[in-house]
Amino acid sequence: MFTLIIEDKHGAIVDEYSFEDGEFIVGRSQQADIVLPADNVSRRHARLFTVDGRCYIEDLKAANGVWLNGKRIYNITELPRSAQVRIGDFFLHIEGAAYARPLGASVYARLIPMPGSIGELTDLAHATVLIGRGKDCAVVLSDVSVSRIHAKITQDQAGRVAVEDLRSSNGTYVNDRRVDQQELQHGDRIRFGTVAFAYQVDGMPEIEVEEPAYVPSPRSAPRLQAQYSQYSAYAPAEAPLSAVDAAYAPAPRSVLPQVAAVAVILVAVVGLVILVGLAYDRWVGPALEARRSVAIAPAPAPRPVPQPEVADAASPFDDLVERGTDAIARRQWDEAEGLFKKARRIDPISTKPTEALNMIAMEKRAGARFAQAEEAFARKDLATAIQQHRMIPQSSVYRADANAALDAIAQVLELEGDALAAAKSGAACQEKYRQALSTGFAKPAVEQKYLKALKVR
C-alpha cells in the first residue's frame, strides 16, 4: 500500500491518495488522474505507476521537469522510502516505497514491423510495455483489429521477456499460434490482431523480414505468360513448327457451332415466355378475377398478447459497481470497499474499481480525522480539533462538515477572546484570537482585535 500526500508551496495539504497498484497521470489538465492546478505544471507532467509492488515515476517531457529529493530525474525511477517529488509548486510525499533505482534504462529488444503491416520499429526499454489502440499505450496500433488495451510485454529481473494477451477481441499470436502468455525468443513472429512484428533481441543478428519473391506454380505459369504476351509489346515470337509437328497439328476450331447453339436456346426461351403469357390471359387471369369478386368477411385481427417486461440483466461487474457506488453515497466505506475489490477481481483492466478504492481509502482516513476532531472539541482541546479538521482533503465528502466545524470553533474562540480582553488578560486574549485566525474562518474583525491585543501587551 502506497500513500501519496500532496502539499502546496505553503506547506498546506491539498489532497491525499492511497493505492496498491495502477497507473496515474499527474498534470494540469482536468483529464489527468491527479490534477495540480498551476501554470508551471504541464498538462501531462508525469506518470506514476506500480510494477510488482514497487512504485515508479516518469517525466513525460514536462517543461519544468520532475525533481526527486532535490535532484531532477530523466529516466523512469523507482521512488525511495519517504520520497519527496516536486512538480511545479507542489510537493508529493510518497510513503511505503522501497529504494530508488532506474528501471528499463537500456533497450533490450525491438519490434520490427512485418512487410505490409501498419506497425513501426519500436524499441523495448521499459519493464512493462502496453500495446493497443488506446492513446495511453506505449505502443499505439491504430487498427480496427487491435483492442484498446490489447496485450503487454514484460521483462522480469532475470531478463526473461514474455508477451501476455489482455483479453483482446482478436487475440495475440506467436508464430501463428494464439497464446494467452508466451515467453519470447529471438526471431519469433508476434501478431496483435492483424498487425505483425518480428521480435529481435538486442545484440543478436538482425532478422530478415523482406517479402519472398512470388514464384508462379507450374500450372499457372503458361496462363500468366499468355496474359503477359497479350499486352506486352516485347512478347517473344512463337517458334515455327517443324514439318512433322505441322502434319499432326490440330486444325483450327470454328466458333459457328457454338453461336448456332446459343441462338437456338434464345429462340426457345422467347417462345416459352410467349406461350406462358397467352395461357395466363386465357385461363388463369379470369379465374383469379372471379375469386376476387366474392366478398369474404375479414377475420378479426388477433388480440395482442401482452408480453411480460424482462429487465435487462446487468453483468456481475456492473452490479457490483452500482452497489458500491450506492454504498459510497451512504458513506458505508467498508461495504463499498468490499464490493469494489470483488469488481476489480472480475475485471482487473477497468480503472473504475481502482479509482473507487483510492477514493474510499482517502474518505476512511478523512472520516477518522473528523471523528478525532470532534472528540478533541468535546474535551475542549480546540488546537487539536483545528489541526485535524484542516488536514481533511478538499475533495473529501467530510470537507463541508469540517468547514462548518471550523467556522463554529472560530466564533467560540472570538467570544472567549472578547471576554478575556474585557478582563484585561492580554496574553490569554491574544492566544484565543491567534487560534481563531488559524481556523481560516475567522471574521476580518478578529485580525484587528489580535493586532490590538499585541500592542496592549
Side-chain angles (χ1 to χ4, degrees), residues 207-455:
I207 301 172
E208 297 291 338
V209 294
E210 296 180 358
E211 288 184 307
Y214 174 70
V215 179
S217 64
R219 180 177 298 178
S220 62
R223 176 175 54 83
L224 295 176
Q225 184 176 3
Q227 292 178 355
Y228 173 78
S229 61
Q230 181 180 1
Y231 298 102
S232 175
Y234 299 97
E238 297 183 358
L241 297 175
S242 63
V244 176
D245 294 335
Y248 290 94
R253 298 177 62 185
S254 174
V255 298
L256 290 178
Q258 290 86 345
V259 174
V262 171
V264 171
I265 294 173
L266 289 175
V267 171
V269 171
V270 172
L272 181 61
V273 171
I274 293 174
L275 290 175
V276 171
L278 292 175
Y280 181 86
D281 294 338
R282 180 67 179 84
W283 293 290
V284 179
L288 293 177
E289 189 65 27
R291 287 190 178 185
R292 293 193 190 98
S293 62
V294 179
I296 301 175
R303 298 180 62 184
V305 179
Q307 299 293 331
E309 295 184 359
V310 180
D312 295 335
S315 67
F317 176 82
D318 294 335
D319 179 63
L320 289 170
V321 170
E322 182 177 357
R323 290 164 56 195
T325 304
D326 179 66
I328 289 176
R330 292 184 284 107
R331 299 189 183 183
Q332 299 297 321
W333 308 121
D334 293 336
E335 178 186 350
E337 184 178 22
L339 292 170
F340 277 107
K341 283 184 177 179
K342 291 180 181 179
R344 184 171 63 180
R345 285 195 292 269
I346 293 176
D347 189 354
I349 298 178
S350 176
T351 59
K352 288 183 179 179
T354 301
E355 293 172 354
L357 288 171
N358 291 338
M359 186 268 289
I360 291 168
M362 184 268 291
E363 293 293 357
K364 290 176 72 174
R365 286 190 301 274
R369 284 175 176 161
F370 186 82
Q372 293 173 7
E374 292 295 301
E375 293 175 1
F377 182 80
R379 62 176 184 267
K380 298 184 179 181
D381 185 1
L382 299 184
T384 302
I386 294 171
Q387 180 184 10
Q388 293 297 329
H389 279 312
R390 286 183 62 86
M391 290 184 66
I392 294 176
Q394 294 293 334
S395 59
S396 173
V397 296
Y398 294 97
R399 185 66 262 172
D401 297 336
N403 291 342
L406 288 171
D407 184 44
I409 292 173
Q411 295 181 28
V412 170
L413 290 170
E414 182 182 4
L415 292 175
E416 293 180 354
D418 293 344
L420 292 171
K424 307 296 183 179
S425 298
C429 165
Q430 175 187 341
E431 179 62 21
K432 294 296 182 180
Y433 289 144
R434 187 193 65 78
Q435 288 185 350
L437 291 172
S438 68
T439 64
F441 287 85
K443 298 177 182 178
V446 176
E447 185 176 1
Q448 301 297 327
K449 295 177 182 179
Y450 176 66
L451 295 175
K452 183 178 179 180
L454 288 175
K455 293 179 180 179

